[in-house]
Amino acid sequence: IDNVIINNNTGSNAGGGIFIDNNTSTILDHVTLYNNSSNDGGGISIASTDWNSYYTNVNINNSIFYNNSPETFGSGYDNTNDYKDIVFSYSDVFLSDSDSIIDGVGNINSRPWFCDSGNDNFALADQSPCKIAGKGGTYMGAYGPGGCGEVFSGCMESQACNFCEECNINNESTCQYPLENTDCNGNC
């Protein structure tokens, strides 16, 4: 799977973005998995088995896993099984509740800073660490730098108490308004 965006999918059991079955060899290169959800492995789930006749080999390179829920990987992500080989290299696997980095060469754990993911623009903004962190100094994810400059997401509603003048992406869910008959400081 090469240069693909997999986003906004829901899986009922496993693998909201991708489900990889037993006895397969899969390569993901320059793939973006964003905002997928499932009961097990919002981003990716890999079938887990102890059957000796099945071997699963997955190579993930130059890819981005971001905002998948409830977690990026399902129960199949386990390199302790002798018949499963999962290798990450030069990929951004954002684990928001952790400072840990997925094992492998060149991997990072950082917000990827897309130009405008809310409107399906997954090109990389100027401040994205993924612009040159891929193998050989290339980009991570399906798209490289997008020429959108730096991205600042916040409340762009001028009536809001937390109006963000320097923002260029409106995130209305962050807007805070004064209570009725008060100003932003709580004064009547």
Side-chain angles (χ1 to χ4, degrees):
I1 302 172
D2 192 20
N3 287 90
V4 173
I5 295 172
I6 301 171
N7 70 306
N8 295 323
N9 295 293
T10 302
S12 58
N13 290 323
I18 296 175
F19 178 79
I20 297 175
D21 206 352
N22 292 309
N23 202 29
T24 59
S25 181
T26 305
I27 298 172
L28 301 168
D29 190 33
H30 286 100
V31 172
T32 300
L33 275 97
Y34 172 81
N35 204 37
N36 299 291
S37 63
S38 178
N39 292 335
D40 184 41
I44 187 170
S45 187
I46 301 166
S48 58
T49 184
D50 292 326
W51 300 331
N52 293 344
S53 60
Y54 293 111
Y55 182 81
T56 303
N57 180 21
V58 182
N59 287 296
I60 300 171
N61 312 304
N62 302 307
S63 295
I64 297 173
F65 292 77
Y66 185 69
N67 204 39
N68 297 291
S69 64
E71 73 282 321
T72 295
F73 303 106
S75 57
Y77 178 67
D78 175 10
N79 270 334
T80 60
N81 183 328
D82 291 337
Y83 296 95
K84 189 179 298 173
D85 189 16
I86 304 164
V87 178
F88 285 86
S89 62
Y90 300 97
S91 292
D92 182 8
V93 182
F94 186 70
L95 304 169
S96 62
D97 60 345
S98 172
D99 288 334
S100 63
I101 297 174
I102 295 292
D103 288 339
V105 177
N107 295 321
I108 63 174
N109 175 6
S110 183
R111 181 177 177 172
W113 291 104
F114 300 119
C115 283
D116 188 1
S117 58
N119 289 308
D120 293 333
N121 181 351
F122 293 97
L124 301 173
D126 284 356
Q127 77 262 40
S128 176
C130 301
K131 284 189 339 179
I132 58 170
K135 185 174 184 180
T138 187
Y139 61 90
M140 294 175 173
Y143 295 138
C148 60
E150 289 193 24
V151 172
F152 300 101
S153 177
C155 179
M156 295 176 62
E157 304 297 320
S158 60
Q159 306 84 2
C161 297
N162 61 332
F163 171 68
C164 179
E165 192 170 321
E166 65 275 359
C167 291
N168 52 11
I169 301 289
N170 191 19
N171 185 350
E172 292 179 21
S173 66
T174 65
C175 294
Q176 299 170 1
Y177 298 94
L179 297 174
E180 190 175 346
N181 299 321
T182 64
D183 63 13
C184 289
N185 297 319
N187 301 320
C188 292

